[in-house]
Amino acid sequence: MSSAISLNVGIARSASAGSADAADAKRVLLAEPRGYCAGVDRAVETVEKALEKHGAPVYVRKEIVHNRHVVETLRERGVIFVDETDEVPAGALLVFSAHGVSPAVHTAAAERDLRTIDATCPLVTKVHQEAKRFARDDFDILLIGHEGHEEVEGTAGEAPDHVQLVDGPGGVDGVTVRDENKVIWLSQTTLSVDETMETVRLLREKFPLLQDPPSDDICYATSNRQTAVKAMAPECDLVIVVGSRNSSNSVRLVEVALNAGARAAHLVDYAREVDTAWLDGVRTVGITSGASVPEILVEGVLELLAEHGFGNVQPVTTANETLVFALPRELRPARR
Ligand code: SF4
């Protein structure tokens, strides 16, 4: 691979640029950062360590992270995924997923005497704390997020009497509040940054005293992956995002790529889902992956592309991520 390309100087041609041939050559732009974030890494390791320490079966409420490959691999190792706590035998071990759960779910698990480990991402927990704090101060909380998403259900469940869901710019019209002096917006962690800012703009037109969250709710990983895609998309005839259809941040990467100028963009779980007809007439393919995607799946797509003449891979680096979260307390001594 060639060395990383700086966002500030644009995207360079291949190392042998200078000849017309080089300019016409097929190439891959590989977004960095991509793939696993700190919260997903922690959640997956939590389940792996729970299996090692307690043996199978380990129950997990909902998908631990929204990725088919991760879920199928863990299922093969003895994880049983359930939708609700009442599907778990009394006294069994249950892990809560990275997306977080409402207090009602904790209560239901306690009533069944379940042993629980909470793999909620600390950045989701931070949004829960904000919801609790502003509900205590009797604010109307406008939670920007996707209806039905597990994270939103968990956050809203912290303060159901104070939270209203606003599902994008189209959801603003129906919002009413009790006191326009006490309104704050919070958000799901995995939204499109640009679309969320548009929703906030519309909300603020309606409620000029709308308060911002104390810190960004859209997490560093979501926003970094979108920034990298924006940097490469204008150069791309095609962007392939590796990720699952129920992964909010992966789906957003497809939208961001198209909005930033990619001529086409597709979401695939596996290399085998790449339709080679997409490559017809294409010179530059951008590759990225959602925050719940193991790198091995990206490698599979790169191998497939190399077989079709796209062996020249150029990283497009817009940030370096070093954040690591400690495992849940119950598992910490087991960490290498
Ligand atoms: S995408 Fe962000 S909020 Fe979600 S698990 Fe990763 S770091 Fe946490």
Side-chain angles (χ1 to χ4, degrees):
M1 287 184 190
S2 60
S3 60
I5 297 160
S6 157
L7 175 62
N8 298 325
V9 296
I11 296 165
R13 294 287 170 189
S14 67
S16 57
S19 70
D21 283 354
D24 288 345
K26 292 176 178 178
R27 63 175 179 162
V28 170
L29 299 180
L30 184 59
E32 288 185 10
R34 65 180 177 279
Y36 268 22
C37 60
V40 164
D41 200 27
R42 173 182 186 264
V44 174
E45 193 178 352
T46 294
V47 178
E48 290 171 344
K49 294 289 184 201
L51 277 169
E52 273 172 33
K53 189 171 174 183
H54 301 285
V58 166
Y59 290 82
V60 175
R61 183 183 178 276
K62 310 284 185 188
E63 293 189 350
I64 183 71
V65 298
H66 286 154
N67 183 265
R68 251 171 81 187
H69 177 79
V70 171
V71 167
E72 283 166 13
T73 305
L74 290 173
R75 191 175 278 134
E76 282 163 14
R77 293 179 57 187
V79 172
I80 298 175
F81 291 94
V82 296
D83 273 332
E84 290 306 338
T85 49
D86 59 12
E87 297 166 50
V88 184
L93 178 66
L94 175 66
V95 178
F96 295 130
S97 80
H99 307 103
V101 295
S102 67
V105 174
H106 282 286
T107 304
E111 283 170 1
R112 291 181 68 72
D113 274 339
L114 302 181
R115 293 170 291 143
T116 59
I117 299 177
D118 191 352
T120 303
C121 175
L123 299 181
V124 174
T125 302
K126 185 206 76 166
V127 184
H128 282 224
Q129 301 301 349
E130 290 170 354
K132 281 197 278 195
R133 173 182 149 197
F134 286 99
R136 230 175 9 245
D137 293 343
D138 204 25
F139 274 70
D140 274 16
I141 300 166
L142 308 181
L143 177 62
I144 303 173
H146 295 302
E147 180 141 29
H149 192 280
E150 288 143 48
E151 181 188 322
V152 158
E153 288 175 354
T155 306
E158 292 286 359
D161 297 337
H162 290 80
V163 171
Q164 278 181 71
L165 183 65
V166 184
D167 195 344
V172 172
D173 267 357
V175 177
T176 55
V177 299
R178 295 167 302 156
D179 176 357
E180 294 192 8
N181 297 308
K182 290 186 86 171
V183 191
I184 184 160
W185 70 274
L186 303 178
S187 86
Q188 188 178 329
T189 56
T190 51
L191 301 181
S192 154
V193 174
D194 295 338
E195 187 185 276
T196 302
M197 288 305 110
E198 175 59 9
T199 307
V200 172
R201 188 187 67 75
L202 293 172
L203 285 171
R204 189 157 279 130
E205 264 180 27
K206 201 166 172 177
F207 309 115
L209 297 178
L210 178 71
Q211 289 193 30
D212 292 324
S215 60
D216 289 345
D217 288 342
I218 295 180
C219 76
Y220 79 99
T222 298
S223 103
N224 283 351
R225 279 150 193 68
Q226 290 175 17
T227 299
V229 165
K230 279 186 199 169
M232 72 180 187
E235 301 264 339
C236 294
D237 304 304
L238 166 70
V239 169
I240 297 175
V241 178
V242 185
S244 293
R245 274 159 187 70
N246 62 344
S247 161
S248 172
N249 81 89
S250 301
V251 174
R252 302 290 84 75
L253 289 173
V254 174
E255 295 167 358
V256 168
L258 291 171
N259 287 338
R263 260 163 266 165
H266 298 283
L267 184 68
V268 298
D269 263 300
Y270 297 101
R272 62 175 182 264
E273 294 173 3
V274 173
D275 182 346
T276 50
W278 297 342
L279 303 174
D280 290 348
V282 164
R283 282 187 196 153
T284 301
V285 182
I287 304 285
T288 187
S289 57
S292 48
V293 177
E295 187 62 7
I296 192 171
L297 301 179
V298 174
E299 285 164 11
V301 173
L302 290 174
E303 279 164 25
L304 178 96
L305 289 173
E307 287 164 14
H308 289 79
F310 291 87
N312 173 13
V313 179
Q314 303 177 3
V316 177
T317 304
T318 53
N320 292 309
E321 295 179 348
T322 54
L323 187 63
V324 177
F325 292 129
L327 284 172
R329 201 172 358 95
E330 301 86 335
L331 298 169
R332 261 178 226 168
R335 191 161 206 191
R336 279 191 297 275

